[in-house]
Amino acid sequence: MDDRIKGRWAAQGLAAIGAIGLLGAGVAGATEPAHPRCLADLPSAIAQWQQDPRWARSHWGFLARTLDPANPQTLIQGQAQQFFVPASNAKLFSTAAALAALGPEFRSPTRAYWRPKSATQPRPAWWIVPGGDPTITHQQLQAWADRLATLHPPTEALDVVVFDRSETPPSWEWDDLTYGYAPVVNRAMVDRNAVSLTFRPQVLDGAPSLEVQTQEPVEGLLNWFQPRGFQALPADAEPTWQLQRDRQTGLILFTGGLPMGTSAQAEVAHPRPGQQFAWLIADRLSEQFFRQVRSRPLAAPPPPPTVNWQRSPLEVAPLPAPAYDRFRNPPVVPIVNLRNPPGPLGQPTAELASANLAAVISQVNQASDNLGAEALLRWLDPDRPMDRLTTVLTDLGLDPTAYRLMDGAGLSRQNLVSPEAIVQLLTIMARSPHAQIYENSLPIAGEAGTLANRFRDTPLEGQLLAKTGTLTGVAALSGYLNHPEWGPVAFSLMIDHANTPTRDLRAALDQVVLWLYGARSCAN
């Protein structure tokens, strides 16, 4: 068990136990049972808590077991062998499998191969084989392109060919695919395959227009994002805008209206991240091309698009012509090839180092990074990632009949996991050579990750390492705590089939964990 847990409860002392029963008051209308001070009273308190009208129709499962290898003790359990939708608790499985199979120092670099022009290739080209690194940013790609330009200065027109493949799990729901938390899963990832957009209403030539600005440099925004029937509302009106993805065209559509003088933000999934990846490299090399040939002065990129939907649904306000053709007719052309590279490529000309696996699993569990979780599985096996996950975890000793996963991130509602499976997995990882790395990747109650704002000013602040999980009607919390009497404990709490706001479900789970932490054997 991580020393972050082991020494903190002792410093707080048992005097903190009196502050345990305090979350029920935070759930509007909830009736909190009497604080169970003895472990024997905890099951009845939980049963009474489950009957609150807010979540009485939902399904609950829970299990807590000590990690003493000589004498493991089950502290509480209820429906522990039943299946529940785990939400992001699925990431506990994907990160454990990757860590066990590949080790914390595993890396998957992006490789570049220089191909001079030949009889079969009229233009020289950079062939890029991405490593599937979910942490790459556009700044890193641009800096890497500068390095490529020093290795082979772009003094003539050339191509950038990126070998990519799209692997988004088929069980993710269509409505989720609009947003940055459910991005396209592929090999050539950049900026988490998401785009941060800012919307501002305007009136141009007497017609409502929508200004769209991006936080990241983005190529061809209007090829996949379009407003439909946009309204510039009075300044005192309520906003009515929403985003949706058209099932026929795949376009992300902005509908509704925004009050004048206001703005709105959204993070959307880039539908063509491989093209964005290739464009960032090619665009930077185009800039270097003009630095090399010095034929025309440099110019800034064109301003963000402003769309006037009264004149024409596809009319873009004229952009000032750039002083050179970097943006209209670039000398370096990005190409995405959806096939594997032909034959052995030999030694790469250059590599872009990836983050190591320990850093990636920390990002996945701390920030609940869906793209990172899927990337880890494709590091395991790009062709059959879920089969490989099951094989690895079975070899570790996890019962394969106690769970069924359709993705590594937990966005799929077809996932089914029992609390028993999660506690078994947590126990296996706590006894593994990589135990501390795995535990360190988890959010910390009241301090870090998705638990930074939970358990504050309670005895569990800084004492709990756990993975959160949330979907509509689903909440889960699983991880480790160091109990004042029983020492290290692995636990899993899961709720699904709920018709309750997420904040209330989280508070319900948090209360149970606080009761568990405060309970004692009361043998005498």
Side-chain angles (χ1 to χ4, degrees):
M1 175 62 62
D2 184 357
D3 290 339
R4 292 182 300 172
I5 291 182
K6 279 182 172 178
R8 292 190 178 189
W9 67 266
Q12 290 181 348
L14 299 184
I17 296 172
I20 293 289
L22 52 84
L23 283 181
V27 181
T31 302
E32 180 187 337
H35 173 208
R37 297 187 177 276
C38 298
L39 184 64
D41 299 328
L42 190 51
S44 60
I46 295 174
Q48 182 181 346
W49 192 229
Q50 288 178 253
Q51 295 309 308
D52 184 277
R54 217 162 311 279
W55 43 71
R57 295 179 181 272
S58 62
H59 299 170
W60 287 50
F62 50 90
L63 177 64
R65 185 177 292 148
T66 64
L67 290 175
D68 181 357
N71 185 31
Q73 179 182 353
T74 297
L75 302 179
I76 57 170
Q77 65 175 332
Q79 302 295 313
Q81 286 74 43
Q82 300 302 308
F83 279 145
F84 295 83
V85 177
S88 283
N89 272 204
K91 294 181 177 72
L92 292 169
F93 293 77
S94 51
T95 54
L99 183 60
L102 302 175
E105 293 304 318
F106 176 85
R107 297 173 186 267
S108 184
T110 294
R111 296 181 169 93
Y113 301 83
W114 175 250
R115 290 294 183 262
K117 61 184 177 181
S118 64
T120 58
Q121 181 177 293
R123 290 158 56 105
W126 281 106
W127 284 9
I128 310 295
V129 181
D133 179 3
T135 69
I136 291 178
T137 65
H138 68 271
Q139 294 95 335
Q140 288 175 297
L141 274 188
Q142 290 170 332
W144 193 49
D146 289 342
R147 183 184 169 205
L148 298 182
T150 64
L151 297 174
H152 289 278
T155 57
E156 59 181 321
L158 60 102
D159 297 327
V160 171
V161 182
V162 174
F163 294 90
D164 194 22
R165 55 191 291 183
S166 180
E167 303 162 333
T168 304
S171 58
W172 285 8
E173 294 190 356
W174 179 262
D175 289 343
D176 287 331
L177 300 180
T178 300
Y179 299 99
Y181 65 81
V184 172
V185 179
N186 66 329
R187 300 291 293 172
M189 308 178 203
V190 59
D191 293 329
R192 296 171 38 251
N193 289 357
V195 179
S196 300
L197 301 178
T198 299
F199 312 112
R200 291 185 178 89
Q202 294 182 346
V203 175
L204 296 179
D205 299 328
S209 300
L210 182 68
E211 181 188 56
V212 183
Q213 292 184 328
T214 64
Q215 182 174 315
E216 309 85 1
V218 178
E219 185 264 346
L221 175 65
L222 293 180
N223 292 331
W224 53 267
F225 174 87
Q226 293 182 10
R228 291 283 174 88
F230 171 71
Q231 297 175 315
L233 303 176
D236 58 351
E238 291 293 324
T240 61
W241 70 277
Q242 62 178 341
L243 297 176
Q244 58 185 357
R245 193 166 185 174
D246 185 79
R247 291 183 178 271
Q248 292 184 331
T249 65
L251 293 172
I252 296 177
L253 305 178
F254 182 107
T255 61
L258 274 173
M260 293 297 295
T262 68
S263 64
Q265 293 78 38
E267 185 179 70
V268 300
H270 196 306
R272 304 165 190 167
Q275 184 66 32
Q276 171 74 0
F277 184 102
W279 173 78
L280 283 165
I281 298 174
D283 178 66
R284 192 69 164 204
L285 291 175
S286 288
E287 180 181 351
Q288 294 295 337
F289 170 89
F290 287 108
R291 292 183 187 278
Q292 294 288 334
V293 300
R294 299 182 181 276
S295 61
R296 298 178 181 178
L298 292 176
T306 299
V307 183
N308 187 314
W309 294 103
Q310 183 168 332
R311 292 201 294 260
S312 166
L314 293 177
E315 182 178 355
V316 178
L319 300 175
Y324 56 90
D325 61 2
R326 173 181 163 198
F327 303 104
R328 307 291 180 129
N329 183 28
V332 183
V333 176
I335 300 172
V336 176
N337 191 323
L338 298 181
R339 296 173 295 179
N340 291 325
L345 300 179
Q347 286 296 113
T349 309
E351 289 189 352
L352 176 60
S354 75
N356 66 19
L357 188 140
V360 175
I361 69 166
S362 180
Q363 168 69 17
V364 168
N365 283 332
Q366 288 273 338
S368 208
D369 183 350
N370 295 324
L371 182 64
E374 297 300 325
L376 288 174
L377 292 189
R378 283 145 189 83
W379 284 0
L380 277 176
D381 189 322
D383 299 313
R384 303 179 65 86
M386 303 314 301
D387 290 346
R388 177 65 173 150
L389 175 143
T390 301
T391 298
V392 170
L393 295 183
T394 301
D395 290 345
L396 289 177
L398 185 64
D399 180 4
T401 68
Y403 67 95
R404 184 193 74 183
L405 292 178
M406 306 301 291
D407 74 342
L411 272 180
S412 174
R413 289 184 173 273
Q414 297 180 27
N415 292 331
L416 295 173
V417 173
S418 67
E420 173 67 45
I422 294 180
V423 169
Q424 187 181 17
L425 175 67
L426 292 169
T427 302
I428 290 170
M429 294 307 295
R431 298 170 183 170
S432 78
H434 306 306
Q436 186 161 354
I437 293 173
Y438 187 70
E439 293 164 7
N440 286 350
S441 74
L442 299 175
I444 309 172
E447 293 186 5
T450 54
L451 284 179
N453 296 317
R454 291 168 67 176
F455 296 103
R456 286 186 173 179
D457 302 318
T458 75
L460 278 176
E461 183 172 357
Q463 306 298 303
L464 175 75
L465 302 176
K467 182 72 196 77
T468 58
T470 304
L471 291 170
T472 301
V474 174
L477 184 67
S478 303
Y480 303 102
L481 62 85
N482 204 72
H483 196 279
E485 180 173 342
W486 294 293
V489 173
F491 72 92
S492 178
L493 309 176
M494 308 179 78
I495 301 176
D496 67 10
H497 289 76
N499 186 23
T500 305
T502 297
R503 64 180 182 276
D504 288 357
L505 294 179
R506 287 173 177 163
L509 294 178
D510 293 356
Q511 183 65 83
V512 174
V513 180
L514 283 163
W515 284 339
L516 173 63
Y517 185 79
R520 300 293 179 269
S521 59
C522 300
N524 299 321

